[in-house]
């Protein structure tokens, strides 16, 4: 009886556990391309400051999942919320799923930065001009403030001396780092990376991954789709494996790479694990 009373008193006096809402919450995302269903009711949450790496075979739905987050790809079912606010679709008072208006959608998208495997830099603009264009035009940030922020970001990605260079004068790795700085200039709440090293020569991959690793250390919320297994193992807080439009397994890197629970993940990682004797 005494123990029961003590337990009750402890529960009554301990501060309540406050659950932080996720920075990203995806629920039941379904996507078709014609008769082909590429996402089959995918749900995923990402905590603030968490780096999640998504791996899996080609055609498993990884890139489509990223593109659905800010409605670069429309989808047929499900809801996405960033920091508790819907993006793309919302549920109305009658419980019916409704598409957001374009103005509200554009405002919501500002909270999501995305970097693609193609750099998409404006070739007629300098590096500095590429980075400040959106903050000035979209958010109305004064040029001097935008340029100061751009220079800070260039320092972060190791390109301080390239602010007046044009993209054609940069290597692929340098262009990709500029693309990262440009996305960060909008001060997003979450960053998405879609196979950002796949178009690079092998010797340039490391400099881009180093910039992303620094972002993870700085606490940026990130979802990274990649085939770079070493990056997933060393940098991710959590690894998500997708196949056939579904999340097959997810867990801490050490668990996923050394003791995966499913045969499919073991098969996928076998070549990598054999190479590094994990």
């Amino acid at each position: 009886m005494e123990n029961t009373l003590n337990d009750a008193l402890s529960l009554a006096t301990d501060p309540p556990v406050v659950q932080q809402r996720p920075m990203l919450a995806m629920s039941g995302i379904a996507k078709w391309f014609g008769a082909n269903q590429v996402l089959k009711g995918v749900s995923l949450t990402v905590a603030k400051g968490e780096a999640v790496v998504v791996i899996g075979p080609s055609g498993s739905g990884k890139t489509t999942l990223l593109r659905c987050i800010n409605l670069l790809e429309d989808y047929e079912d499900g809801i996405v919320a960033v920091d508790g606010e819907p993006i793309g679709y919302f549920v109305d008072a009658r419980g019916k799923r409704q598409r957001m208006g374009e103005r509200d959608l554009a405002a919501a998208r500002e909270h999501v930065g995305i970097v693609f495997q193609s750099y998409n830099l404006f070739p007629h603009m300098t590096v500095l001009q590429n980075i400040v264009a959106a903050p000035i035009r979209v958010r109305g940030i004064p040029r001097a403030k935008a340029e100061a922020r751009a220079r800070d970001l260039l320092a972060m990605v190791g390109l301080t001396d390239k602010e007046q260079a044009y993209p054609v004068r940069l290597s692929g790795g340098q262009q990709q780092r500029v693309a990262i700085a440009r996305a960060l200039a909008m001060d997003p709440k979450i960053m998405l990376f879609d196979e950002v090293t796949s178009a690079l020569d092998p010797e340039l991959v490391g400099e881009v991954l180093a910039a992303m690793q620094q972002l993870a250390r700085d606490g940026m919320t990130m979802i990274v789709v990649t085939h770079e297994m070493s990056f997933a193992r060393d940098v991710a807080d959590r690894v998500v494996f997708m196949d056939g439009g579904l999340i097959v397994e997810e867990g801490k890197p050490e668990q996923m790479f050394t003791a995966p629970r499913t045969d499919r993940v073991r098969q996928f990682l076998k070549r990598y694990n054999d190479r590094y004797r994990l």
Side-chain angles (χ1 to χ4, degrees), residues 1-10:
M1 177 67 72
E2 182 178 352
N3 287 339
T4 303
L5 178 59
N6 288 338
D7 289 343
L9 288 172
S10 175

Side-chain angles (χ1 to χ4, degrees), residues 22-27 44-46 79-83:
M23 182 56 73
L24 174 74
M26 308 181 75
S27 177
L44 177 68
T45 60
V46 179
I79 295 292
V80 177
V82 174
D83 200 15

Side-chain angles (χ1 to χ4, degrees), residues 4 33 58 71 82 121 200 205 269:
T4 303
F33 288 116
S58 297
L71 214 68
V82 174
L121 300 179
L200 299 177
V205 169
L269 292 175

Side-chain angles (χ1 to χ4, degrees), residues 19-163:
Q19 291 190 347
Q20 186 181 42
R21 73 182 178 198
M23 182 56 73
L24 174 74
M26 308 181 75
S27 177
I29 303 300
K31 169 67 181 175
W32 281 262
F33 288 116
N36 181 31
Q37 187 175 4
V38 295
L39 294 176
K40 302 174 181 178
V42 175
S43 297
L44 177 68
T45 60
V46 179
K48 183 178 181 180
E50 187 179 20
V52 172
V53 174
V54 183
I55 63 174
S58 297
S60 59
K62 305 184 301 295
T63 289
T64 301
L65 185 71
L66 281 193
R67 293 176 63 86
C68 286
I69 290 175
N70 62 352
L71 214 68
L72 290 175
E73 290 287 355
D74 210 337
Y75 48 95
E76 285 71 30
D77 200 8
I79 295 292
V80 177
V82 174
D83 200 15
E85 297 296 326
I87 178 170
Y89 291 89
F90 65 96
V91 177
D92 65 19
R94 298 171 297 171
K96 188 175 181 180
R97 181 173 174 267
Q98 301 281 359
R99 197 180 194 279
M100 296 173 66
E102 290 304 317
R103 180 176 296 180
D104 291 337
L105 177 57
R109 278 178 170 148
E110 292 182 20
H111 299 305
V112 182
I114 187 164
V115 182
F116 304 97
Q117 53 185 291
S118 55
Y119 326 121
N120 296 330
L121 300 179
F122 297 115
H124 62 289
M125 292 183 178
T126 66
V127 164
L128 189 67
Q129 290 168 338
N130 264 280
I131 296 173
V132 303
I136 291 172
R137 296 176 185 177
V138 177
R139 300 188 64 187
I141 294 176
R143 178 172 294 276
K145 184 176 180 181
E147 289 184 350
R149 170 66 170 152
R151 291 187 175 101
D152 288 342
L153 292 170
L154 285 173
M156 189 203 75
V157 298
L159 293 173
T160 301
D161 60 336
K162 299 296 184 182
E163 68 173 65

